[in-house]
Amino acid sequence: MKRISFLATFLWGILAWTGLAQEPRVYRAPEFDVEWSKPSRYPDRIVLNLGEDPAISASVTWRTVPEIETAFAEIAVATGAPKFWRNANTLKAVTTTFDGSKIPTAGFISNYHSATFSDLLPDTVYAYRVGDGKRWSEWIQFRTASRSTTEPFSFLYVGDTQNFILELWSRLIREGYKKAPDARFIIHAGDLVNNAHREQEWQEWFDAGGWIHSSLPSFPVPGNHEYRPLGEEGGKKGIRSLSAQWNYQFTLPENGPEGLEETVYFMDYQDTRIIGLNTNVEHEKQAVWLEELLSGTTQKWKVVTFHHPLFSASSNRDNTELRELLKPIFDKYHVDLVLQGHDHSYARGRVSPGENTLDGVNLRDRTGTVYVVSVSGGKMYGLRPNAWDGWEAERDRAAENTQLFQVITIEDNKLSFESYTAIGELYDAFDLVKGGEGPNQFIERKQEAVAPRRFNNTIPYQDPLPDAIKNRLQKRYPGFEFDGVAYSKENGVFQYQVKMEKGNEEVELRLDADGTVLEEIRKKD
């Protein structure tokens, strides 16, 4: 009897699954109430940033309602004893009011509070908390950098967060923290959000990272989505402005070119100089500053991060002006690693080491600057079909339709780079080794990783259209190509939303589940 019952249940399960599979799955995106992103009297959006010298300085920033006009940060050397706080110092925070009431997507008036911890001890675990004297955050720990030039350390790097932030980026950043729990900081290579001034998206970013933001220092640079028109007047004139929240919610080193503070800056983490650029504005000004900065450094390793890649990963993109401006500087001063975003796919490659290669050395084992483009959020683009051909650079590894984070470890003369998927699979790896005055030795390790990921061997990114419906539409609209398909369901009724293009012509269609055209809109550029 039990066997018959089990068999019936099993067959019913197959039939039910088959029936459900006949109707495509419609994704139900979360909705966020306006109240959700409002500040309160309690500290929120707590984020930690490092100073120019992270062995002795760090800064914390947080948000409250404007009624909290006075705030404090307390910090102490952390020990195993629960009352380590007896040795804490209290600092009065700098408080500024952010008035987003005149920005349609911001809306709120908030107070942001910041405190900079200075004269810290190197290579020491500290605990801090923030509040107004009555309402406090938890005690949060971080470690300062060592003064040793050979002490190993790791850091994380991620490309664009931008879309589906709370939905999908949360799993990525949490997996990154699990993979490298001792990482000392995280580089965000721009496009942290999609709409620069939108409070909801910043709330998603802070919630997705949660306490990771307050304990793992962030090193962010702005992307093009951090620059959007501010208000109606800016929109009419097409003037893009830096995210209204940026300078309020981050406390970053102010050691960049005048007028670009907290978007262009650097820090020296042990024997590594980390430089952040802002590729949205004033490129020439930054190039002069960058050359001065690189020419004067004694750090062994040089890492530069910015948003728009010199060697694009995705189709129909090429930042020629930026490449011609910056690459000669990177070549001249032997920058080791460049970390970028923007292209919503993954590419890693390198350029020639130039004329510094010793006779008899295999060029495959030596390298100039290594360039990486990565994406951490849920928005995906296709790869450039011909890789980096024509750019005097070689692309060694690439991916489509895959969320990735990177762990970079530096130990004396060796830099190890590892890229991981959102479920912790090793996707790419290589090592750089310094020896003498010549170019870096390059050790390829991608053979240790999983097979390449592309759109054609992963779960479809775009909503697919059944072949029968696709063939019918191609006959009805000869010469048109499909530009996008989206599923929708309103009042329980399933529909397809289809876009097709031919030259400057575009047709938008609404179809029922059988592919019958319910609505047609034709457009011309």
Coordinates of all heavy atoms in Angstrom, one line a residue, residues 241-315:
S241 N 26.0 65.1 -11.9 CA 26.6 65.5 -10.6 C 26.9 64.2 -9.8 O 26.2 63.2 -9.9 CB 25.7 66.4 -9.8 OG 25.4 67.6 -10.4
L242 N 28.0 64.2 -9.1 CA 28.3 63.1 -8.2 C 27.1 62.8 -7.2 O 26.5 63.8 -6.8 CB 29.6 63.5 -7.4 CG 30.0 62.4 -6.3 CD1 30.5 61.1 -7.0 CD2 31.1 63.0 -5.5
S243 N 26.9 61.6 -6.9 CA 25.9 61.2 -6.0 C 25.8 62.1 -4.8 O 26.8 62.4 -4.2 CB 26.1 59.8 -5.5 OG 25.3 59.5 -4.4
A244 N 24.6 62.7 -4.6 CA 24.5 63.6 -3.5 C 24.9 63.1 -2.1 O 25.3 63.8 -1.2 CB 23.0 64.1 -3.5
Q245 N 24.8 61.7 -2.0 CA 25.1 61.1 -0.7 C 26.5 60.8 -0.6 O 27.0 60.5 0.6 CB 24.3 59.8 -0.6 CG 22.8 60.0 -0.5 CD 22.0 60.0 -1.8 OE1 22.7 60.2 -2.9 NE2 20.8 59.7 -1.9
W246 N 27.3 60.8 -1.6 CA 28.7 60.2 -1.6 C 29.5 60.8 -0.5 O 30.1 60.1 0.3 CB 29.3 60.4 -3.0 CG 30.7 59.7 -3.1 CD1 31.9 60.3 -2.8 CD2 31.0 58.4 -3.6 NE1 32.9 59.4 -3.1 CE2 32.3 58.3 -3.6 CE3 30.2 57.4 -4.2 CZ2 33.0 57.1 -4.0 CZ3 30.8 56.2 -4.6 CH2 32.2 56.1 -4.5
N247 N 29.7 62.1 -0.6 CA 30.6 62.8 0.4 C 30.1 62.8 1.8 O 30.9 63.0 2.8 CB 31.0 64.2 -0.1 CG 31.8 64.2 -1.3 OD1 31.4 64.7 -2.4 ND2 33.0 63.7 -1.3
Y248 N 28.8 62.6 2.0 CA 28.2 62.5 3.3 C 28.4 61.2 3.9 O 28.7 61.1 5.1 CB 26.7 62.8 3.2 CG 26.3 64.3 3.0 CD1 26.1 64.7 1.7 CD2 26.2 65.2 4.1 CE1 25.8 66.0 1.5 CE2 25.9 66.5 3.8 CZ 25.7 66.9 2.5 OH 25.4 68.2 2.3
Q249 N 28.3 60.1 3.1 CA 28.3 58.8 3.8 C 29.7 58.0 3.7 O 29.8 57.0 4.3 CB 27.3 57.9 3.1 CG 27.5 57.6 1.6 CD 26.3 57.0 0.9 OE1 25.2 57.0 1.4 NE2 26.5 56.4 -0.2
F250 N 30.7 58.6 3.1 CA 32.0 58.0 3.1 C 33.0 59.1 3.7 O 32.8 60.3 3.4 CB 32.5 57.6 1.7 CG 31.7 56.5 1.1 CD1 31.1 56.7 -0.1 CD2 31.5 55.3 1.7 CE1 30.3 55.7 -0.7 CE2 30.8 54.3 1.1 CZ 30.2 54.5 -0.1
T251 N 33.9 58.7 4.5 CA 35.0 59.6 4.9 C 36.3 59.0 4.4 O 36.9 58.1 5.1 CB 35.0 59.7 6.5 OG1 33.7 60.1 6.9 CG2 36.0 60.7 6.9
L252 N 36.8 59.5 3.3 CA 37.9 59.0 2.6 C 39.1 59.9 2.6 O 38.9 61.1 2.9 CB 37.5 58.7 1.1 CG 36.3 57.7 0.9 CD1 35.7 57.8 -0.5 CD2 36.7 56.3 1.3
P253 N 40.3 59.4 2.3 CA 41.5 60.3 2.4 C 41.3 61.5 1.4 O 40.8 61.3 0.3 CB 42.6 59.4 1.9 CG 42.1 58.0 2.3 CD 40.7 58.0 2.1
E254 N 41.6 62.7 1.9 CA 41.5 63.9 1.0 C 42.9 64.3 0.5 O 43.4 65.4 0.7 CB 40.9 65.0 1.8 CG 39.4 64.7 2.2 CD 38.7 65.9 2.9 OE1 39.2 67.0 2.7 OE2 37.7 65.7 3.6
N255 N 43.5 63.3 -0.2 CA 44.9 63.5 -0.6 C 45.0 63.5 -2.2 O 46.1 63.4 -2.7 CB 45.8 62.5 0.0 CG 45.4 61.0 -0.3 OD1 44.5 60.8 -1.1 ND2 45.9 60.1 0.5
G256 N 43.8 63.7 -2.8 CA 43.8 63.7 -4.3 C 43.9 65.1 -4.8 O 44.1 66.1 -4.1
P257 N 43.7 65.3 -6.1 CA 43.8 66.6 -6.7 C 42.7 67.5 -6.2 O 41.6 67.0 -5.8 CB 43.6 66.3 -8.2 CG 43.9 64.9 -8.4 CD 43.5 64.2 -7.1
E258 N 43.0 68.8 -6.1 CA 42.0 69.8 -5.6 C 40.7 69.7 -6.4 O 40.7 69.7 -7.7 CB 42.6 71.2 -5.7 CG 41.7 72.2 -5.0 CD 42.3 73.6 -5.0 OE1 43.5 73.7 -5.4 OE2 41.6 74.6 -4.7
G259 N 39.6 69.7 -5.7 CA 38.3 69.6 -6.4 C 37.8 68.2 -6.6 O 36.6 68.0 -7.0
L260 N 38.6 67.2 -6.4 CA 38.3 65.8 -6.6 C 38.4 65.0 -5.3 O 38.5 63.7 -5.4 CB 39.1 65.1 -7.7 CG 38.9 65.7 -9.1 CD1 39.9 65.2 -10.1 CD2 37.5 65.5 -9.6
E261 N 38.4 65.7 -4.2 CA 38.6 65.0 -2.9 C 37.6 63.9 -2.7 O 36.4 64.1 -3.0 CB 38.5 66.0 -1.8 CG 39.7 67.0 -1.7 CD 39.5 68.3 -2.6 OE1 38.4 68.3 -3.3 OE2 40.3 69.1 -2.6
E262 N 38.0 62.8 -2.2 CA 37.2 61.7 -1.8 C 36.6 60.9 -3.0 O 35.8 60.0 -2.8 CB 36.0 62.1 -0.8 CG 36.6 62.5 0.5 CD 35.4 62.7 1.6 OE1 34.7 63.7 1.5 OE2 35.3 61.8 2.4
T263 N 37.0 61.3 -4.2 CA 36.7 60.5 -5.4 C 38.0 60.1 -6.1 O 38.1 59.1 -6.8 CB 35.8 61.2 -6.4 OG1 36.6 62.3 -7.0 CG2 34.6 61.7 -5.8
V264 N 39.1 60.8 -5.8 CA 40.5 60.4 -6.3 C 41.4 60.5 -5.0 O 41.5 61.5 -4.4 CB 41.0 61.4 -7.3 CG1 42.4 61.0 -7.8 CG2 40.0 61.5 -8.5
Y265 N 42.0 59.4 -4.7 CA 42.8 59.3 -3.4 C 43.7 58.1 -3.4 O 43.6 57.3 -4.3 CB 41.9 59.4 -2.2 CG 40.9 58.2 -2.2 CD1 41.1 57.1 -1.4 CD2 39.7 58.2 -2.9 CE1 40.2 56.0 -1.3 CE2 38.8 57.2 -2.8 CZ 39.0 56.1 -2.0 OH 38.1 55.1 -2.0
F266 N 44.5 58.0 -2.4 CA 45.4 56.8 -2.3 C 45.6 56.5 -0.9 O 45.4 57.3 0.0 CB 46.7 57.0 -3.1 CG 47.7 57.9 -2.3 CD1 48.7 57.4 -1.5 CD2 47.6 59.3 -2.4 CE1 49.6 58.2 -0.8 CE2 48.5 60.1 -1.7 CZ 49.5 59.5 -0.9
M267 N 46.1 55.2 -0.7 CA 46.6 54.8 0.7 C 47.8 53.9 0.4 O 47.9 53.2 -0.6 CB 45.5 54.2 1.5 CG 45.1 52.8 1.1 SD 43.9 52.0 2.2 CE 43.6 50.5 1.4
D268 N 48.7 53.9 1.4 CA 49.8 53.0 1.4 C 49.6 51.9 2.4 O 49.7 52.1 3.6 CB 51.1 53.7 1.7 CG 51.5 54.6 0.5 OD1 51.1 54.3 -0.6 OD2 52.2 55.6 0.8
Y269 N 49.2 50.7 2.0 CA 48.9 49.6 2.9 C 50.2 48.7 2.9 O 50.4 48.0 1.9 CB 47.7 48.8 2.4 CG 47.1 48.0 3.6 CD1 46.0 48.5 4.3 CD2 47.7 46.8 4.0 CE1 45.5 47.8 5.4 CE2 47.2 46.1 5.1 CZ 46.1 46.6 5.7 OH 45.6 45.9 6.8
Q270 N 51.0 48.9 3.9 CA 52.2 48.2 4.1 C 53.1 48.5 2.8 O 53.4 49.7 2.6 CB 52.0 46.7 4.3 CG 51.3 46.5 5.7 CD 50.9 45.0 6.0 OE1 50.1 44.8 6.9 NE2 51.4 44.1 5.2
D271 N 53.5 47.5 2.1 CA 54.4 47.8 0.9 C 53.6 47.9 -0.4 O 54.2 47.6 -1.4 CB 55.5 46.7 0.9 CG 56.8 47.2 0.3 OD1 56.9 48.5 0.2 OD2 57.7 46.4 0.0
T272 N 52.4 48.3 -0.3 CA 51.5 48.4 -1.5 C 50.9 49.8 -1.6 O 50.2 50.2 -0.6 CB 50.4 47.3 -1.5 OG1 51.0 46.0 -1.4 CG2 49.6 47.4 -2.8
R273 N 51.0 50.4 -2.7 CA 50.3 51.7 -2.9 C 49.0 51.4 -3.7 O 49.0 50.9 -4.8 CB 51.2 52.7 -3.6 CG 50.4 54.0 -4.0 CD 51.4 55.2 -4.1 NE 51.9 55.6 -2.8 CZ 52.6 56.7 -2.6 NH1 53.0 57.5 -3.7 NH2 53.0 57.1 -1.4
I274 N 47.9 51.7 -3.0 CA 46.6 51.5 -3.7 C 46.1 52.9 -4.1 O 45.9 53.8 -3.3 CB 45.6 50.9 -2.7 CG1 46.2 49.7 -1.9 CG2 44.3 50.6 -3.4 CD1 46.2 48.5 -2.7
I275 N 45.7 53.1 -5.4 CA 45.3 54.4 -5.9 C 44.0 54.3 -6.5 O 43.7 53.4 -7.4 CB 46.3 54.9 -7.0 CG1 47.8 55.0 -6.4 CG2 45.9 56.2 -7.6 CD1 48.8 55.2 -7.5
G276 N 43.1 55.1 -6.2 CA 41.7 55.2 -6.7 C 41.6 56.4 -7.6 O 41.9 57.5 -7.2
L277 N 41.1 56.2 -8.9 CA 40.8 57.3 -9.8 C 39.3 57.4 -10.1 O 38.6 56.5 -9.9 CB 41.6 57.0 -11.1 CG 43.1 56.9 -11.1 CD1 43.6 56.5 -12.5 CD2 43.8 58.1 -10.5
N278 N 39.0 58.6 -10.6 CA 37.6 58.9 -11.0 C 37.6 59.1 -12.5 O 37.9 60.2 -13.0 CB 37.1 60.2 -10.2 CG 35.7 60.6 -10.6 OD1 35.1 60.0 -11.5 ND2 35.2 61.5 -9.8
T279 N 37.2 58.1 -13.2 CA 37.2 58.2 -14.7 C 36.0 58.9 -15.3 O 35.8 58.8 -16.5 CB 37.4 56.8 -15.3 OG1 36.4 55.9 -14.7 CG2 38.8 56.2 -15.0
N280 N 35.2 59.6 -14.5 CA 34.1 60.3 -15.0 C 34.4 61.7 -15.4 O 33.7 62.3 -16.2 CB 33.0 60.3 -14.0 CG 32.5 58.9 -13.6 OD1 31.7 58.4 -14.3 ND2 32.9 58.4 -12.5
V281 N 35.4 62.3 -14.8 CA 35.7 63.7 -14.9 C 37.2 64.0 -14.9 O 38.0 63.2 -14.4 CB 35.0 64.5 -13.8 CG1 33.5 64.5 -13.9 CG2 35.5 64.1 -12.4
E282 N 37.6 65.1 -15.5 CA 39.0 65.7 -15.4 C 40.1 64.7 -15.5 O 41.0 64.6 -14.6 CB 39.1 66.5 -14.1 CG 38.1 67.6 -14.0 CD 38.3 68.5 -12.8 OE1 39.2 69.4 -12.9 OE2 37.6 68.4 -11.8
H283 N 40.1 64.0 -16.6 CA 41.2 62.9 -16.8 C 42.6 63.5 -16.8 O 43.5 62.9 -16.2 CB 40.9 62.2 -18.1 CG 39.6 61.4 -18.1 ND1 39.0 61.0 -19.2 CD2 38.8 61.1 -17.1 CE1 37.8 60.4 -18.9 NE2 37.7 60.4 -17.6
E284 N 42.8 64.6 -17.5 CA 44.1 65.1 -17.7 C 44.7 65.6 -16.3 O 45.9 65.3 -16.0 CB 44.1 66.3 -18.6 CG 43.8 66.0 -20.1 CD 45.0 65.3 -20.8 OE1 46.1 65.3 -20.2 OE2 44.8 64.8 -21.9
K285 N 43.9 66.2 -15.5 CA 44.3 66.6 -14.2 C 44.7 65.4 -13.3 O 45.7 65.5 -12.6 CB 43.1 67.4 -13.5 CG 43.3 68.0 -12.2 CD 42.1 68.7 -11.7 CE 42.3 69.4 -10.4 NZ 41.1 70.2 -10.0
Q286 N 43.9 64.3 -13.4 CA 44.3 63.2 -12.6 C 45.6 62.5 -13.2 O 46.3 62.0 -12.4 CB 43.1 62.2 -12.7 CG 41.9 62.6 -12.0 CD 40.8 61.6 -12.1 OE1 40.9 60.5 -11.5 NE2 39.7 62.0 -12.7
A287 N 45.8 62.6 -14.5 CA 47.0 61.9 -15.0 C 48.3 62.6 -14.5 O 49.2 61.9 -14.2 CB 46.9 62.0 -16.5
V288 N 48.2 63.9 -14.4 CA 49.4 64.7 -13.8 C 49.6 64.2 -12.4 O 50.8 64.0 -12.0 CB 49.1 66.2 -13.9 CG1 50.2 67.0 -13.2 CG2 49.1 66.6 -15.4
W289 N 48.6 64.2 -11.6 CA 48.6 63.8 -10.2 C 49.1 62.4 -10.1 O 50.0 62.0 -9.3 CB 47.3 64.0 -9.6 CG 47.1 63.4 -8.2 CD1 47.5 64.1 -7.0 CD2 46.6 62.2 -7.8 NE1 47.2 63.3 -5.9 CE2 46.7 62.1 -6.3 CE3 46.0 61.1 -8.4 CZ2 46.2 61.0 -5.6 CZ3 45.6 60.0 -7.7 CH2 45.7 60.0 -6.3
L290 N 48.6 61.5 -10.9 CA 49.0 60.1 -10.9 C 50.5 59.9 -11.2 O 51.1 59.1 -10.5 CB 48.1 59.3 -11.9 CG 48.5 57.8 -12.1 CD1 48.1 57.0 -10.8 CD2 47.7 57.3 -13.3
E291 N 51.0 60.6 -12.2 CA 52.4 60.4 -12.5 C 53.3 60.9 -11.4 O 54.3 60.2 -11.0 CB 52.7 61.2 -13.8 CG 54.2 61.0 -14.2 CD 54.4 61.1 -15.7 OE1 53.5 61.6 -16.4 OE2 55.4 60.6 -16.2
E292 N 52.9 62.0 -10.7 CA 53.7 62.5 -9.6 C 53.6 61.4 -8.4 O 54.6 61.2 -7.8 CB 53.1 63.8 -9.1 CG 53.4 64.9 -10.1 CD 52.7 66.2 -9.6 OE1 52.1 66.2 -8.6 OE2 52.9 67.3 -10.3
L293 N 52.5 60.9 -8.2 CA 52.3 59.9 -7.2 C 53.1 58.6 -7.4 O 53.7 58.1 -6.5 CB 50.8 59.6 -7.0 CG 50.3 58.9 -5.7 CD1 50.5 59.8 -4.5 CD2 48.8 58.5 -5.9
L294 N 53.1 58.1 -8.6 CA 53.8 56.9 -8.9 C 55.3 57.1 -8.9 O 56.1 56.2 -8.5 CB 53.3 56.3 -10.3 CG 51.9 55.7 -10.3 CD1 51.5 55.4 -11.7 CD2 51.9 54.5 -9.4
S295 N 55.7 58.3 -9.4 CA 57.2 58.5 -9.5 C 57.8 58.7 -8.1 O 59.0 58.4 -7.9 CB 57.4 59.8 -10.3 OG 56.9 61.0 -9.7
G296 N 57.0 59.1 -7.1 CA 57.5 59.3 -5.8 C 57.4 58.2 -4.8 O 57.8 58.3 -3.7
T297 N 56.8 57.1 -5.2 CA 56.5 56.0 -4.3 C 57.7 55.0 -4.2 O 58.4 54.8 -5.1 CB 55.3 55.2 -4.7 OG1 55.0 54.2 -3.6 CG2 55.5 54.4 -6.0
T298 N 57.9 54.5 -3.0 CA 58.9 53.5 -2.7 C 58.3 52.1 -2.5 O 59.0 51.2 -2.2 CB 59.8 53.9 -1.5 OG1 58.9 54.0 -0.4 CG2 60.5 55.2 -1.8
Q299 N 56.9 52.1 -2.5 CA 56.2 50.8 -2.3 C 56.6 49.8 -3.4 O 56.7 50.2 -4.6 CB 54.7 51.1 -2.3 CG 54.1 51.3 -0.9 CD 54.6 52.5 -0.2 OE1 54.8 53.5 -0.9 NE2 54.7 52.5 1.1
K300 N 56.7 48.6 -3.0 CA 57.1 47.5 -3.9 C 55.9 47.2 -4.9 O 56.2 47.0 -6.1 CB 57.4 46.2 -3.1 CG 57.8 45.1 -4.0 CD 58.1 43.8 -3.1 CE 59.2 44.1 -2.2 NZ 59.5 42.9 -1.3
W301 N 54.7 47.2 -4.4 CA 53.6 46.9 -5.3 C 52.7 48.1 -5.6 O 52.5 49.0 -4.7 CB 52.7 45.8 -4.6 CG 53.4 44.5 -4.5 CD1 54.0 44.1 -3.3 CD2 53.5 43.5 -5.4 NE1 54.5 42.8 -3.5 CE2 54.2 42.4 -4.8 CE3 53.1 43.3 -6.8 CZ2 54.5 41.2 -5.5 CZ3 53.4 42.2 -7.4 CH2 54.1 41.1 -6.8
K302 N 52.2 48.2 -6.8 CA 51.4 49.3 -7.2 C 50.1 48.8 -7.8 O 50.1 48.1 -8.8 CB 52.1 50.2 -8.2 CG 53.5 50.7 -7.8 CD 54.2 51.5 -8.9 CE 55.6 51.8 -8.5 NZ 56.5 50.6 -8.5
V303 N 48.9 49.2 -7.2 CA 47.6 48.7 -7.6 C 46.8 50.0 -7.9 O 46.7 50.8 -7.0 CB 47.0 47.8 -6.6 CG1 45.5 47.4 -7.0 CG2 47.8 46.6 -6.3
V304 N 46.1 50.0 -9.0 CA 45.3 51.2 -9.4 C 43.9 50.6 -9.7 O 43.7 49.6 -10.3 CB 45.8 51.9 -10.6 CG1 44.9 53.2 -10.9 CG2 47.2 52.4 -10.4
T305 N 42.9 51.4 -9.2 CA 41.5 51.0 -9.4 C 40.7 52.2 -10.0 O 40.9 53.3 -9.5 CB 40.8 50.4 -8.2 OG1 39.5 50.0 -8.5 CG2 40.7 51.4 -7.1
F306 N 39.8 51.9 -10.9 CA 38.9 52.9 -11.4 C 37.8 52.2 -12.2 O 37.8 51.0 -12.3 CB 39.6 53.9 -12.4 CG 40.5 53.3 -13.4 CD1 40.0 52.8 -14.6 CD2 41.9 53.1 -13.1 CE1 40.8 52.3 -15.5 CE2 42.7 52.5 -14.0 CZ 42.2 52.1 -15.3
H307 N 36.8 52.9 -12.7 CA 35.6 52.3 -13.2 C 35.7 51.9 -14.7 O 35.4 50.7 -15.0 CB 34.4 53.2 -13.0 CG 33.1 52.6 -13.4 ND1 32.6 51.5 -12.8 CD2 32.2 52.9 -14.3 CE1 31.4 51.2 -13.3 NE2 31.2 52.0 -14.3
H308 N 36.0 52.8 -15.6 CA 35.9 52.5 -17.0 C 37.2 51.8 -17.5 O 38.3 52.4 -17.4 CB 35.8 53.8 -17.8 CG 34.5 54.6 -17.5 ND1 34.4 55.4 -16.4 CD2 33.3 54.6 -18.1 CE1 33.2 56.0 -16.4 NE2 32.5 55.5 -17.4
P309 N 37.1 50.6 -18.0 CA 38.3 49.8 -18.3 C 39.1 50.3 -19.5 O 38.5 50.8 -20.5 CB 37.8 48.4 -18.6 CG 36.3 48.5 -18.8 CD 35.9 49.9 -18.3
L310 N 40.4 50.2 -19.4 CA 41.3 50.5 -20.5 C 41.1 49.5 -21.7 O 41.2 49.9 -22.8 CB 42.8 50.6 -20.1 CG 43.2 51.6 -19.0 CD1 44.7 51.9 -19.1 CD2 42.4 52.9 -19.2
F311 N 40.9 48.3 -21.3 CA 40.6 47.2 -22.3 C 39.3 46.6 -22.0 O 39.1 45.9 -21.0 CB 41.7 46.1 -22.2 CG 43.1 46.7 -22.4 CD1 44.0 47.0 -21.4 CD2 43.6 46.9 -23.7 CE1 45.2 47.5 -21.6 CE2 44.8 47.4 -23.9 CZ 45.7 47.7 -22.9
S312 N 38.3 47.0 -22.8 CA 36.9 46.7 -22.4 C 36.7 45.2 -22.6 O 37.2 44.5 -23.5 CB 36.0 47.4 -23.4 OG 36.0 48.8 -23.1
A313 N 35.8 44.7 -21.7 CA 35.4 43.3 -21.7 C 34.2 43.0 -22.7 O 34.2 42.0 -23.3 CB 35.1 42.8 -20.3
S314 N 33.3 44.0 -22.7 CA 32.0 43.8 -23.4 C 32.0 44.3 -24.8 O 32.8 45.2 -25.2 CB 30.9 44.4 -22.6 OG 30.8 43.8 -21.3
S315 N 31.0 43.9 -25.5 CA 30.9 44.3 -26.9 C 30.6 45.8 -27.0 O 29.9 46.4 -26.1 CB 29.7 43.6 -27.6 OG 30.0 42.2 -27.6

